[in-house]
Amino acid sequence: MATTLQLAFADWKSRDGDTVKGTLDGAALTLSGLLSEVILDGSTSDFSSPVFTPPLPNSDRIEIVSTPANNQFTLDFLGAIVQDPVFHLGSLGSTLTFPPGTTVTRLSGDDTEEQRKFTVEGNKVIGRPFQPQPPGAEPTDSSGSIRLPGRFSSITFQVKPNFTGGSGNDGVHLQIGGTVRQLSFVDWTSRDGDTVKGTLDGAALTLSGLLSEVILDGSTPDFSSPVFTPPLPNSDRIEIVSTPANNQFTLDFLGATVQDPVFHLGSLGSTLTFPPGTTVTRLSGDDTEDQRKFTVKANTVIGRPFQPTGAEPTDSSGSIRLPGRFSSITFQVKPNFTGGSGNDGVHLQVGGTLA
């Protein structure tokens, strides 16, 4: 799959409590945190003013809730990297704070009236509470657009009101845009014993370790289920072998660096362990049946052995992401069962974006 770039804004599709789900240029995303009204039908003109860059004549809209507790929100781009994401922020009477070291660029915003000036200072976006007369008139508070230069698979931020009195809370209108870099997945091309070679978006890579069946012709639908993010209708597949000896595998990106690599793991009845200090993010996986629950704890991915009577699928399946930039990744795999051969065949496919 080639890398594609296109400016887009989120199409928010559904809400489940304080999580809203949508797509950005076809790539899945979620926003989690304390929410108020959510508009999913593209009917709001709240971001049509020239204070937003670019203005959106009609759009979806998420209203996030800022409280004195300094609420935290998490934006996850699932199955893609987003370059230079843009935040449209309307009716901002709060300070929005990104993690230390985050660069924030002001694109546009209120600046004609000091009482409603939209300001960026370091990693903070500062809005001013403003209630025009008569009460109920519009617009209220500050509005504007910012950009976060860089490539992101996840963004966290906090929001805290810049006023006291009333309910003490501030409803902030939010829409997200950016340039999507779709994930590429490996085209595995050849096998030599326990080493398999391939390319990721044209860059060479190898995987070494104890291997079983290798599918090189893109014919398997094994990763087409919604438990994988993103699902792959047809793909190559490597079957790595987990043994009680706790086998080690090494994935080498030759002459390239890969950002936020994704592992699709199918039929995982083992624990997969990355080096200490590695951050592992669960993107999706089996969670409806406890006997097959796909779990991430710190630097480990835990699958459960499960054999239904004469039926598929077996064991756990799901997708993880390793946030960061990598030229090489090592991991170990050890079965979570005894008996039988004592070995576990785990289906693997690897994706990512070249840094």
Side-chain angles (χ1 to χ4, degrees):
M1 185 187 298
T3 298
T4 59
L5 300 178
Q6 182 178 347
L7 179 64
F9 278 82
D11 177 11
W12 298 106
K13 295 182 179 294
S14 66
R15 175 181 181 171
D16 183 5
D18 280 333
T19 296
V20 63
K21 298 179 180 180
T23 61
L24 183 65
D25 200 18
L29 77 162
T30 64
L31 175 70
S32 299
L34 187 58
L35 304 178
S36 184
E37 183 185 28
V38 173
I39 297 176
L40 304 175
D41 63 359
S43 63
T44 183
S45 59
D46 287 0
F47 304 110
S48 61
S49 162
V51 301
F52 299 104
T53 301
L56 304 177
N58 292 286
S59 173
D60 294 345
R61 190 200 75 195
I62 309 301
E63 186 171 359
I64 62 176
V65 181
S66 166
T67 75
N70 201 12
N71 286 357
Q72 179 160 302
F73 295 84
T74 300
L75 183 66
D76 279 317
F77 303 108
L78 307 174
I81 300 291
V82 173
Q83 182 167 328
D84 301 340
V86 170
F87 284 48
H88 282 0
L89 296 162
S91 191
L92 179 69
S94 300
T95 292
L96 190 149
T97 304
F98 293 96
T102 305
T103 299
V104 183
T105 302
R106 182 187 189 274
L107 297 179
S108 57
D110 289 310
D111 57 13
T112 56
E113 300 180 58
E114 181 63 31
Q115 66 265 47
R116 205 167 68 235
K117 194 172 182 68
F118 180 85
T119 306
V120 169
E121 295 180 2
N123 63 326
K124 299 179 185 293
V125 185
I126 304 166
R128 290 173 169 77
F130 175 66
Q131 178 60 61
Q133 297 296 321
E138 293 288 344
T140 62
D141 306 337
S142 305
S143 293
S145 298
I146 60 165
R147 176 185 289 132
L148 306 187
R151 299 178 184 176
F152 297 84
S153 60
S154 183
I155 301 169
T156 61
F157 58 93
Q158 295 177 307
V159 191
K160 187 175 184 177
N162 289 330
F163 59 87
T164 58
S167 68
N169 298 343
D170 182 29
V172 180
H173 299 167
L174 174 66
Q175 178 57 307
I176 303 292
T179 301
V180 174
R181 302 179 63 90
Q182 298 282 3
L183 287 184
S184 297
F185 280 83
V186 176
D187 176 14
W188 298 105
T189 54
S190 65
R191 175 181 182 173
D192 182 5
D194 281 333
T195 296
V196 63
K197 299 179 181 179
T199 61
L200 180 65
D201 206 11
L205 76 162
T206 62
L207 174 70
S208 300
L210 186 59
L211 304 178
S212 183
E213 183 185 29
V214 173
I215 297 175
L216 304 176
D217 64 359
S219 64
T220 181
D222 286 359
F223 305 109
S224 62
S225 162
V227 301
F228 299 105
T229 301
L232 304 176
N234 292 285
S235 173
D236 294 347
R237 190 200 74 196
I238 309 301
E239 185 170 357
I240 62 176
V241 181
S242 165
T243 74
N246 201 12
N247 286 359
Q248 179 162 302
F249 295 84
T250 301
L251 184 66
D252 278 318
F253 303 106
L254 307 174
T257 301
V258 174
Q259 181 168 344
D260 299 347
V262 168
F263 283 45
H264 282 1
L265 296 162
S267 192
L268 178 69
S270 301
T271 292
L272 190 149
T273 303
F274 293 95
T278 305
T279 299
V280 182
T281 301
R282 181 188 190 274
L283 294 180
S284 57
D286 288 310
D287 57 13
T288 55
E289 300 180 60
D290 190 60
Q291 66 264 48
R292 207 167 68 232
K293 194 172 182 68
F294 180 84
T295 306
V296 169
K297 293 183 179 179
N299 63 322
T300 63
V301 186
I302 304 165
R304 289 173 169 78
F306 176 66
Q307 179 60 61
T309 304
E312 294 285 346
T314 61
D315 306 339
S316 306
S317 294
S319 299
I320 61 166
R321 176 189 283 135
L322 306 186
R325 297 186 175 192
F326 296 84
S327 58
S328 181
I329 300 169
T330 60
F331 57 93
Q332 294 177 309
V333 190
K334 187 174 183 178
N336 289 330
F337 59 87
T338 58
S341 69
N343 298 343
D344 182 31
V346 180
H347 299 167
L348 173 67
Q349 179 58 304
V350 177
T353 302
L354 297 185

